[in-house]
Structure formats: C-alpha cells, structure tokens
C-alpha cells in the first residue's frame, strides 16, 4: 500500500480536529497511524454519498422480499 505520509495523522492527535480536517481538505482523506502502521482511513462525506441511502420503507420492502425468498432456508437453519 502506497501512503502519502503528508496525509497521515497519529492516533494520539485525533483530538486535534483542526489538523485532521485540514489534512482531509488538502488530500481528500486522512490516514490514521499507530506504531508506524496505518489503522484507519477517514474519508469525508459528500452530498453524492447520501444518494446511496434508501428510505426506511424501501429498506423494509427489500428485507421482506428477501426473507420471503429465503424462508425455507431459514426454517432449515432454525432446526
């Protein structure tokens, strides 16, 4: 994994929101490091990301369809 070292922030400095947000603004993400190893990537949420969400009604309709489709499998697993 190639890491831009300028886009990293030590885990001990995560409380410094100003520094974290500046890194994200400049590089598009921040890579949190601990003991010289990357442990998290922090990405900003953009308006486009919210388009991936569905309404509760759509979610429940899909879940109900999925449960009905696989009802026999669930009955076998419940035994």
């Amino acid at each position: 994994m190639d890491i831009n070292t300028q886009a990293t922030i030590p885990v001990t400095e995560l409380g410094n929101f100003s520094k974290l947000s500046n890194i994200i603004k400049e590089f598009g993400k921040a890579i949190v490091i601990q003991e010289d190893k990357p442990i998290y990537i922090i990405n900003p949420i953009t308006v486009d990301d919210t388009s991936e969400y569905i309404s509760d009604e759509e979610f429940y309709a899909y879940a109900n369809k999925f449960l009905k489709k696989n009802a026999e499998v669930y009955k076998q697993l419940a035994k």
Side-chain angles (χ1 to χ4, degrees):
M1 170 192 266
D2 292 331
I3 296 175
N4 180 349
T5 56
Q6 294 178 321
T8 63
I9 185 167
V11 71
T12 55
E13 292 188 42
L14 285 178
N16 186 343
F17 183 76
S18 177
K19 182 175 183 177
L20 176 62
S21 64
N22 287 336
I23 289 171
I24 293 171
K25 285 177 189 174
E26 185 173 349
F27 299 102
K29 64 182 173 187
I31 301 168
V32 181
I33 56 172
Q34 184 175 31
E35 299 174 3
D36 296 327
K37 295 177 185 172
I39 58 171
Y40 300 109
I41 296 176
I42 302 174
N43 292 307
I45 296 175
T46 63
V47 175
D48 294 338
D49 292 340
T50 60
S51 66
E52 295 178 18
Y53 298 116
I54 60 173
S55 68
D56 288 347
E57 293 81 18
E58 290 174 306
F59 173 79
Y60 290 124
Y62 180 78
N64 192 34
K65 180 181 173 182
F66 185 80
L67 289 171
K68 285 181 181 178
K69 179 181 175 184
N70 297 298
E72 191 59 40
V73 173
Y74 296 132
K75 288 177 186 176
Q76 293 296 322
L77 289 172
K79 290 182 182 180

